[in-house]
Amino acid sequence: MSSLSNSTTDIEIRQPELWNLILRLGETAVKFILYNEEEENSLISRELPLESPEVDYLKALENCIYDNPVLIQDYKRVVVSVCSRHFVVLPADLTGEDDMNDIMSCMYAGDAGEYCLSDLVDGENSVAFTMPRGVMSFLQRTFNMSLIVSHLVPLCRYAAGKSEKSGISKMFVHLYDNCMDMCIFRKGELLMTNTFQYRNVEETAYYMLSAWQHFGLNAEDDELQLSADKSERDAVTPILRKYVSYVMPIMFPSSAMRIGRDAIKAPFDLILLSQCVL
């Protein structure tokens, strides 16, 4: 047991085999949603802090999960999104384990973690990423038949669907916890995806506009779609609109409202996983 109090004692899941569990493993917290597709407004969303950085990450994660036994019931499906600073997007012809090992060991020779590979855009790209050693085996033995994906998967899957039949280029950006996930599609093809850390609104605008210019997006015709807290969105949108004509909020999946009226308050990436992966 850890020194952190259990914050899920009020959650009682009957017939867990009907429920889905989606988690995001961050550096300082685990966020999760639980929902039953057959039950309207069943959505439960929580954030569980991890112990201090002085504690080994694997040990902190184990403590967090075991302190909240509601997470380790026999659920219908489990998806785990892993936030990793070290990742490489791979084309369709480089999806073998040997390819992954060679590329990751070359790119991140100093990272002693384990490598994992997940589909990014179906049939087109995958993403290789690292996680602390021991975490993968812990997830595999703790969660029944879990799917482990990169934190970039939710936005890229959503954006791919919204860009598939479009004749223009589109940039999609999700801001959360002082991080920015970004991807750009041109006529349904992924041009780039990356994650940036930022300190203020000026940095968010700088990263977006730099990528916009680098990949040759058209300021008059192409779109920049943004997901963020209202305060952040209101702060950065006027800056972006000085240079980009079409800056708009990312459309929240209407299908997600069925699982909970408060779905819009849950972590956006986890909601996207519920709609675009499961």
Side-chain angles (χ1 to χ4, degrees):
M1 298 289 286
S2 75
S3 60
L4 300 175
S5 62
N6 182 306
S7 56
T8 58
T9 53
D10 61 314
I11 301 176
E12 182 180 357
I13 302 297
R14 298 178 181 179
Q15 294 183 292
E17 67 275 8
L18 300 179
W19 289 68
N20 298 318
L21 170 64
I22 303 180
L23 310 98
R24 184 212 304 154
L25 308 187
E27 293 182 356
T28 60
V30 173
K31 296 186 179 183
F32 73 88
I33 61 172
L34 274 165
Y35 64 95
N36 180 348
E37 293 167 308
E38 300 179 12
E39 180 182 334
E40 290 192 6
N41 298 315
S42 61
L43 179 67
I44 299 168
S45 177
R46 295 288 172 87
E47 177 176 353
L48 305 173
L50 295 174
E51 292 178 285
S52 66
E54 287 75 20
V55 177
D56 174 77
Y57 185 84
L58 175 59
K59 184 63 175 177
L61 180 62
E62 291 175 339
N63 287 339
C64 177
I65 300 301
Y66 292 145
D67 281 358
N68 295 276
V70 70
L71 297 177
I72 53 177
Q73 298 191 54
D74 192 13
Y75 289 111
K76 179 181 179 181
R77 286 171 293 192
V78 178
V79 179
V80 183
S81 171
V82 178
C83 294
S84 175
R85 297 189 183 189
H86 291 169
F87 55 85
V88 177
V89 176
L90 302 175
D93 57 346
L94 290 177
T95 57
E97 185 173 343
D98 290 342
D99 294 324
M100 176 185 70
N101 291 337
D102 290 344
I103 292 170
M104 294 298 286
S105 61
C106 178
M107 291 290 295
Y108 303 111
D111 190 327
E114 299 171 310
Y115 305 148
C116 188
L117 187 70
S118 68
D119 287 336
L120 188 60
V121 179
D122 287 338
E124 297 182 21
N125 302 96
S126 59
V127 56
F129 58 97
T130 65
M131 64 178 75
R133 189 159 295 278
V135 169
M136 187 185 305
S137 59
F138 167 70
L139 296 175
Q140 291 172 336
R141 69 174 180 266
T142 302
F143 299 109
N144 183 35
M145 298 295 290
S146 61
L147 173 65
I148 303 172
V149 303
S150 161
H151 70 282
L152 292 168
V153 167
L155 188 64
C156 286
R157 290 281 183 92
Y158 173 86
K162 294 298 181 181
S163 305
E164 185 178 10
K165 297 180 181 179
S166 176
I168 63 173
S169 298
K170 297 183 180 184
M171 173 185 287
F172 297 81
V173 178
H174 174 47
L175 305 181
Y176 63 100
D177 302 337
N178 292 110
C179 288
M180 172 194 302
D181 291 344
M182 177 193 298
C183 61
I184 300 175
F185 282 80
R186 175 170 292 150
K187 297 181 179 180
E189 180 182 356
L190 177 67
L191 296 185
M192 69 83 71
T193 184
N194 209 339
T195 295
F196 306 93
Q197 292 186 309
Y198 64 89
R199 294 169 294 183
N200 51 51
V201 66
E202 289 78 17
E203 281 194 350
T204 65
Y206 170 78
Y207 286 129
M208 284 185 260
L209 294 172
S210 293
W212 185 277
Q213 182 181 43
H214 179 80
F215 287 94
L217 274 67
N218 188 298
E220 299 298 326
D221 300 319
D222 295 331
E223 293 179 0
L224 194 163
Q225 298 191 23
L226 176 65
S227 168
D229 290 341
K230 185 178 185 302
S231 59
E232 284 189 302
R233 192 173 66 245
D234 289 348
V236 74
T237 297
I239 301 174
L240 297 172
R241 284 183 173 159
K242 294 178 181 179
Y243 308 96
V244 179
S245 297
Y246 295 102
V247 180
M248 61 197 71
I250 291 179
M251 293 295 292
F252 190 84
S254 58
S255 57
M257 298 305 291
R258 185 183 180 279
I259 64 175
R261 286 188 294 266
D262 291 333
I264 198 167
K265 300 178 183 178
F268 184 60
D269 57 316
L270 300 187
I271 293 296
L272 290 185
L273 278 174
S274 75
Q275 304 302 300
C276 302
V277 174
L278 288 182

